[in-house]
Amino acid sequence: MNNEKIRNIAIIAHVDHGKTTLVDALLKQSHIFRENEQVSERVMDSNDLEKERGITILSKNTSVVYNDIKINIVDTPGHADFGGEVERVLKMVDGVLLLVDAFEGPMPQTREVLKKSLALNLKPIVVINKIDRPGSEPEKVLDKVFDLFIELEATDEQLEFPVVYASAKNGIAKMSMSEDSDNITCIFDTIIENIQAPRCEIDGTAQMLVSNIDYDEYLGRIGVGRVERGSIKSGMQVVVCKDGKNINGKIAKLFTYVGLKRTEVDEVKAGDIICFSGIEDLGIGDTICDVSNPEKIPFVDIDEPTVSMTFSVNNGPFAGKEGQFVTSRHIRDRLFKELERNVSLRVKETDSSESFEVCGRGELHLSILIETMRREGFELLVSRPKVIFKEIDGVKCEPIERLVVNVPDESIGNVIEKLGRRKAEMVNMEPAELGHTKIEFKIPARGIIGYRTEFLTDTKGTGTMNSIFDCYEPYKGEFSSRTRGVLVAFEQGTSITYGLYNAQERGELFIGAGVDVYEGMIVGINSRAEDIAINVCKEKHLTNTRSSGADEALRLVPPIQLSLEKAIEFISDDELVEVTPKNIRLRKKILDSKTREREARRAITK
């Protein structure tokens, strides 16, 4: 039986193709806001990091009512590192709005999310967005989308997808490019006509799959998911089916989504997306069942992590000065708490009680976790990301990424040469917009680590690069990633202009004057391949012939500002990033310069 009064749909796309902006337009034109209500842009990006970076990190639910039919909408992340969020929410919906940029066309993540939705037999609606963008080619992009469907072996029914042309930013959508439109209502009509009402047993015993976990300071853990069978009532006794065990629980409070708000209700029938509180020991993939008929629903397989980093206690000279949570117990508890809602993450204890191996889907996935912990008051050390190798049929294999770059024509040679050194194989090359070329590579995942900053320099900031996990292939061999050494502080103290002036002749600096430094802290990039210990705290002393300030003022080149992502990309295997709520510092694993030299000599003799 179908619940005809409901439609459940997810919006999927590559990063920055306009998913959240489209949700904004749908919400505004469904009149869920008051006429005089102030509504911010990208209203679904509620997280501070999402607002700052302009990307969606966590999937979120909302709903609109159109012609007496409730449309539940799930906004999903577009970045490949947060693919685990997309995979699990697809279990809640019956169709997808596939957004494609009318200028860029299908990108790596477009392919990945479409592949997963087709495998779940979800009905697609293609929205060609940003038709107002200069240089856009909607018809050409539609042909590429059709080719992608065929390549992914879509069924005949899936190939008959409806197409909507939209400019989410301007709040308009139309069924053909020749039409005039001043609203977005044709998207609502297309959803209701083409997406099936949820198939469910309204009269059966209660059953629901938990697809997401939220947290509220007053209500505690909140489970989110779609009711698959029967009805869920506030206050009812239920059984939670976990892997291998069942536990009893009680639904304390029950909510449905009305616009952006959770509205408390007494009962929800099958087909609707709900959230509930009252069960503390709740995890993603658990099934909520009626006490009389406990029956688990199989959960979607989440792709395995491909990158690992070591998180450890800060043991530097400045440890404990800036952070609130600094012990291994604090870090361990926080990481295992993150596991409860971040299904793509893995945390392993190591031989040392002070460090933990954290595995994720990519650098951004892990750096968002580190940045969140930093803002919460944690202080820790993180290592360079390493790819996770697998042994397949006795052969050592490594993860391979599908990398798509859009580069100015004058930078093509430089980019191809540098990616070639990192074992990349060119798969495709085609012209993009005027003066730019789009190139597709298959490259080992470790080849991308540390390359993004170099790529932006080579393309003068105008190039774009996107990658997604493709497959595992036999190990491609060694290659060097960083070609330059670093400038390392020689002693503890405060950086002085005179010392920095002498240091900048050796390379580029990361710090300015008046910064507290310690022995072993990295203060800049050397212009040559080796590391140099340098005294940035050196003062100019007065002599018999002149005072210390007699010469003309010394001019310093502005230091390079390293973000957390750039710092993680930059470091090599013998270096760490010290992360505190106030600072991001780079340092050597071994701080003492003499010990470091001895270890280096020992490594050479081996």
Side-chain angles (χ1 to χ4, degrees):
M1 188 187 294
N2 291 2
N3 190 340
E4 295 295 339
K5 287 291 183 185
I6 290 176
R7 300 289 187 277
N8 297 320
I9 194 158
I11 299 185
I12 59 174
H14 187 79
V15 66
D16 204 29
H17 278 197
K19 293 178 306 301
T20 308
T21 308
L22 180 66
V23 175
D24 277 6
L26 293 171
L27 290 171
K28 285 170 185 171
Q29 294 194 25
S30 62
H31 306 296
I32 69 155
F33 302 117
R34 297 189 317 272
E35 289 294 326
N36 63 343
E37 190 170 347
Q38 291 290 316
V39 183
S40 61
E41 277 190 20
R42 302 196 326 274
V43 68
M44 292 290 280
D45 283 350
S46 52
N47 184 311
D48 285 344
L49 280 172
E50 291 177 322
K51 281 185 162 61
E52 287 169 24
R53 294 164 188 250
I55 59 171
T56 304
I57 295 169
L58 303 169
S59 58
K60 300 176 194 69
N61 297 62
T62 185
S63 76
V64 298
V65 175
Y66 181 78
N67 291 348
D68 291 332
I69 293 177
K70 182 181 182 184
I71 303 173
N72 285 312
I73 301 169
V74 186
D75 182 21
T76 65
H79 199 284
D81 285 15
F82 308 108
E85 291 278 323
V86 183
E87 289 163 25
R88 65 170 189 250
V89 300
L90 290 178
K91 291 284 280 183
M92 290 196 285
V93 299
D94 304 290
V96 292
L97 279 182
L98 177 69
L99 239 70
V100 184
D101 191 310
F103 179 76
E104 292 186 343
M107 297 291 277
Q109 183 70 358
T110 315
R111 177 194 181 88
E112 191 65 17
V113 290
L114 178 61
K115 180 180 171 184
K116 292 183 186 302
S117 59
L118 292 177
L120 289 168
N121 207 26
L122 299 175
K123 176 79 177 176
I125 296 172
V126 174
V127 180
I128 308 290
N129 192 27
K130 303 189 184 181
I131 55 173
D132 57 323
R133 184 174 171 179
S136 65
E137 297 179 294
E139 299 301 336
K140 189 177 174 184
V141 165
L142 181 58
D143 290 341
K144 288 183 179 177
V145 172
F146 196 78
D147 291 343
L148 180 59
F149 270 78
I150 293 170
E151 196 181 322
L152 294 174
E153 299 178 354
T155 63
D156 291 343
E157 188 184 352
Q158 288 169 332
L159 282 169
E160 292 176 8
F161 52 82
V163 182
V164 181
Y165 300 92
S167 169
K169 189 177 178 183
N170 296 320
I172 61 168
K174 47 195 177 181
M175 300 308 292
S176 73
M177 288 299 293
S178 56
E179 285 180 28
D180 285 329
S181 173
D182 60 356
N183 60 52
I184 213 160
T185 52
C186 67
I187 292 183
F188 292 127
D189 293 326
T190 309
I191 291 170
I192 290 168
E193 286 169 24
N194 293 277
I195 303 300
Q196 283 189 337
R199 291 179 187 170
C200 48
E201 295 177 46
I202 293 177
D203 300 324
T205 53
Q207 188 186 42
M208 172 201 153
L209 177 69
V210 179
S211 298
N212 210 344
I213 293 286
D214 205 346
Y215 187 82
D216 185 278
E217 288 183 12
Y218 301 102
L219 301 174
R221 288 174 75 72
I222 294 174
V224 182
R226 184 174 76 173
V227 183
E228 300 291 340
R229 188 174 67 199
S231 59
I232 304 267
K233 297 176 184 175
S234 180
M236 78 183 284
Q237 296 291 332
V238 293
V239 171
V240 182
C241 298
K242 294 178 169 289
D243 289 325
K245 64 173 182 176
N246 294 348
I247 60 170
N248 293 321
K250 180 183 175 183
I251 305 290
K253 285 185 181 287
L254 189 62
F255 304 88
T256 60
Y257 290 95
V258 178
L260 293 174
K261 299 185 179 103
R262 291 193 193 118
T263 303
E264 190 171 349
V265 290
D266 293 326
E267 182 179 4
V268 179
K269 293 192 178 296
D272 206 351
I273 293 174
I274 65 163
C275 45
F276 64 89
S277 66
I279 302 171
E280 278 305 305
D281 188 18
L282 190 68
I284 289 167
D286 293 349
T287 308
I288 305 298
C289 301
D290 190 283
V291 177
S292 63
N293 186 18
E295 187 183 345
K296 184 161 175 59
I297 301 171
F299 190 50
V300 64
D301 289 331
I302 302 293
D303 286 348
E304 289 296 308
T306 56
V307 171
S308 73
M309 291 171 73
T310 303
F311 288 34
S312 51
V313 175
N314 185 9
N315 58 7
F318 298 164
K321 289 185 177 179
E322 298 171 359
Q324 185 182 352
F325 306 110
V326 297
T327 65
S328 60
R329 180 177 60 83
H330 285 132
I331 294 169
R332 184 186 185 281
D333 290 349
R334 178 63 181 83
L335 290 174
F336 279 93
K337 185 180 176 185
E338 185 70 20
L339 284 178
E340 294 173 359
R341 59 181 297 174
N342 198 333
V343 289
S344 305
L345 200 72
R346 303 283 183 275
V347 178
K348 300 176 189 169
E349 309 225 23
T350 63
D351 298 337
S352 165
S353 62
E354 297 199 337
S355 60
F356 307 89
E357 187 184 348
V358 183
C359 309
R361 291 281 277 266
E363 289 170 82
L364 184 63
H365 184 203
L366 294 174
S367 71
I368 290 289
L369 170 61
I370 297 164
E371 180 64 30
T372 306
M373 290 175 67
R374 179 169 104 92
R375 294 183 182 199
E376 290 170 0
F378 283 84
E379 191 175 297
L380 65 157
L381 296 174
V382 295
S383 70
R384 176 181 168 83
K386 293 181 180 177
V387 299
I388 299 170
F389 295 102
K390 269 187 181 179
E391 193 167 299
I392 302 172
D393 299 329
V395 179
K396 182 183 179 182
C397 295
E398 65 177 323
I400 303 295
E401 302 263 328
R402 190 173 285 268
L403 172 70
V404 176
V405 297
N406 186 321
V407 296
D409 291 344
E410 63 270 16
S411 306
I412 291 173
N414 208 356
V415 169
I416 291 174
E417 183 196 346
K418 289 196 174 171
L419 285 171
R421 284 189 213 147
R422 292 166 176 261
K423 308 289 185 184
E425 297 171 20
M426 192 192 300
V427 177
N428 189 27
M429 186 173 181
E430 60 183 46
E433 69 270 29
L434 188 65
H436 280 67
T437 301
K438 186 175 171 181
I439 316 171
E440 190 173 338
F441 296 92
K442 283 180 78 175
I443 181 171
R446 60 198 168 98
I448 299 175
I449 296 171
Y451 176 63
R452 198 172 297 272
T453 308
E454 203 175 325
F455 172 79
L456 289 172
T457 305
D458 290 343
T459 60
K460 299 181 177 66
T462 59
T464 59
M465 60 182 282
N466 293 284
S467 64
I468 192 160
F469 171 74
D470 188 61
C471 60
Y472 271 87
E473 287 185 4
Y475 182 64
K476 303 289 183 184
E478 291 294 330
F479 58 81
S480 61
S481 52
R482 198 173 78 191
T483 55
R484 295 166 66 185
V486 290
L487 305 176
V488 187
F490 182 70
E491 64 180 12
Q492 187 164 330
T494 303
S495 59
I496 304 289
T497 304
Y498 182 70
L500 291 170
Y501 184 76
N502 292 326
Q504 75 181 9
E505 294 175 3
R506 304 279 193 147
E508 300 164 79
L509 296 174
F510 292 150
I511 63 167
V515 176
D516 290 334
V517 298
Y518 53 81
E519 184 183 4
M521 180 172 153
I522 297 169
V523 295
I525 315 173
N526 189 8
S527 53
R528 299 189 178 182
E530 68 274 5
D531 297 342
I532 298 179
I534 204 151
N535 188 359
V536 291
C537 306
K538 184 178 181 182
E539 295 186 51
K540 183 177 183 183
H541 299 290
L542 68 92
T543 65
N544 289 335
T545 54
R546 62 170 71 92
S547 68
S548 60
D551 291 344
E552 61 183 75
L554 303 175
R555 293 171 185 254
L556 293 178
V557 176
I560 298 169
Q561 299 293 327
L562 284 181
S563 65
L564 179 60
E565 277 88 3
K566 285 181 180 174
I568 290 169
E569 275 190 349
F570 175 79
I571 58 172
S572 82
D573 292 335
D574 66 333
E575 295 161 3
L576 298 168
V577 180
E578 180 183 331
V579 181
T580 76
K582 295 181 182 176
N583 287 294
I584 294 168
R585 302 183 183 94
L586 307 186
R587 51 161 280 185
K588 288 289 184 181
K589 279 185 181 175
I590 302 169
L591 296 178
D592 181 66
S593 56
K594 288 189 171 59
T595 309
R596 210 164 49 240
E597 286 169 15
R598 269 200 307 274
E599 291 292 329
R601 282 198 297 271
R602 198 173 293 159
I604 292 168
T605 54
K606 281 181 183 177

